[in-house]
C-alpha cells in the first residue's frame, strides 16, 4: 500500500487516541475517570488512557507524551441531546456553560431555535483548562458516515432516534393518506439516513 493509496482513501485510517496536555496526571485521571465516568483502559506504564461512553476514540495523558502547554487542547464530544448531556456533566459536579448556538455576530444564548444538527452546544473544561465542546448532532451531513452503517452509543440515543422516526412517519402517513404497513422498513431507512446524511424516505 503506497502513501498515495492512503491519501486517496484506499486504506482505513482509524483515529483512536488523542493526547491531552495536563500538568497533574493523577488529578486528570480522577476528573475523567471518577467524576465523568470515562472507562480506564489498560495501557503500558507511564500512560493513562480513558474512553468516553460510546466513543471509538480515547484520550491519553502522561508525563512525557506531549510538550504542549497544559490546558491548550480543545475537542468535541458529540451528543444526541445537548440538554441531557449538559445536565449529566453538571450532575458530576463540573461547571458547564449555558447552551448556546452560533449567530451572525457570535454565540447566542440557548439551543438553535430549529434544533438543527451541529448548532446547539455547551462547553466545559478539565482542571488544566482543556476545553470540551458538547455538540448536538442528530442528522449527519452527507459523507460523514459510511452508507448503511447505523449505530447508537446508548439506549437513550436509540430512543431519541425512534421518537424522531415516529414523528416523521406520522407526517409520512398523513401525506399518503393511509396507514403504512411497512413502517419498520420506513423507520429503519429514516434512522439510517439521519446518520449517513442520505435523503430520508419520502
Amino acid at each position: 500500500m503506497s502513501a498515495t493509496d492512503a491519501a486517496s482513501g484506499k486504506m482505513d485510517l482509524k483515529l483512536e487516541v488523542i493526547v491531552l496536555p495536563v500538568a497533574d496526571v493523577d488529578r486528570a485521571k480522577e476528573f475523567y475517570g471518577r467524576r465523568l465516568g470515562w472507562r480506564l483502559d489498560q495501557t503500558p506504564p507511564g500512560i493513562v488512557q480513558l474512553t468516553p461512553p460510546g466513543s471509538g476514540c480515547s484520550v491519553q495523558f502522561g508525563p512525557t507524551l506531549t510538550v504542549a502547554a497544559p490546558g491548550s487542547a480543545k475537542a468535541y464530544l458529540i451528543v444526541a441531546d445537548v440538554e441531557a448531556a449538559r445536565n449529566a456533566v453538571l450532575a458530576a459536579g463540573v461547571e458547564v456553560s449555558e447552551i448556546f448556538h452560533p449567530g451572525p455576530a457570535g454565540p447566542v444564548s440557548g439551543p438553535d431555535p430549529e434544533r438543527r444538527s451541529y448548532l446547539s452546544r455547551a462547553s466545559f473544561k478539565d482542571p488544566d483548562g482543556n476545553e470540551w465542546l458538547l455538540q448536538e448532532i442528530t442528522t449527519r451531513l452527507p459523507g460523514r458516515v459510511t452508507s448503511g452503517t447505523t449505530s447508537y452509543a446508548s439506549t437513550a440515543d436509540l430512543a431519541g432516534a425512534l421518537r424522531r422516526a415516529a414523528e416523521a412517519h406520522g407526517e409520512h402517513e398523513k401525506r399518503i393518506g393511509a396507514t403504512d404497513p411497512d413502517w419498520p422498513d420506513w423507520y429503519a431507512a429514516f434512522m439510517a439516513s439521519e446518520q449517513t446524511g442520505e435523503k430520508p424516505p419520502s
Side-chain angles (χ1 to χ4, degrees):
M1 182 74 67
S2 69
T4 301
D5 288 333
S8 64
K10 295 180 181 178
M11 182 174 73
D12 285 347
L13 300 170
K14 297 178 176 66
L15 179 63
E16 293 196 355
V17 177
I18 60 172
V19 176
L20 291 182
V22 303
D24 188 322
V25 172
D26 290 335
R27 182 180 64 181
K29 182 178 178 181
E30 173 75 17
F31 177 81
Y32 288 105
R34 290 188 178 275
R35 183 166 289 190
L36 292 184
W38 294 12
R39 185 190 71 228
L40 179 63
D41 299 329
Q42 186 173 351
T43 59
I47 298 174
V48 176
Q49 177 173 305
L50 295 107
T51 303
S55 176
C57 186
S58 307
V59 298
Q60 282 186 355
F61 38 85
T64 61
L65 293 186
T66 179
V67 296
S72 60
K74 182 176 181 178
Y76 285 70
L77 292 168
I78 304 308
V79 298
D81 185 330
V82 71
E83 292 177 334
R86 180 179 182 273
N87 289 338
V89 176
L90 281 172
V94 179
E95 185 177 345
V96 190
S97 76
E98 295 297 324
I99 295 172
F100 61 92
H101 65 279
V108 179
S109 180
D112 176 65
E114 299 176 41
R115 213 57 183 260
R116 292 169 292 177
S117 277
Y118 298 93
L119 299 182
S120 299
R121 305 165 184 176
S123 65
F124 67 94
K125 294 182 178 181
D126 71 7
D128 286 284
N130 294 305
E131 184 176 8
W132 291 96
L133 199 66
L134 300 170
Q135 183 181 40
E136 183 178 273
I137 298 179
T138 53
T139 302
R140 295 279 184 178
L141 293 172
R144 177 62 179 82
V145 177
T146 303
S147 178
T149 300
T150 306
S151 64
Y152 297 92
S154 67
T155 54
D157 285 358
L158 177 57
L162 285 167
R163 281 191 287 270
R164 292 190 298 275
E167 182 178 352
H169 189 260
E171 295 300 317
H172 163 68
E173 289 187 324
K174 288 179 183 178
R175 287 194 299 271
I176 65 175
T179 299
D180 178 13
D182 296 322
W183 65 266
D185 294 333
W186 200 98
Y187 271 47
F190 178 88
M191 292 164 69
S193 72
E194 279 196 329
Q195 294 202 347
T196 61
E198 296 177 348
K199 184 178 179 180
S202 58

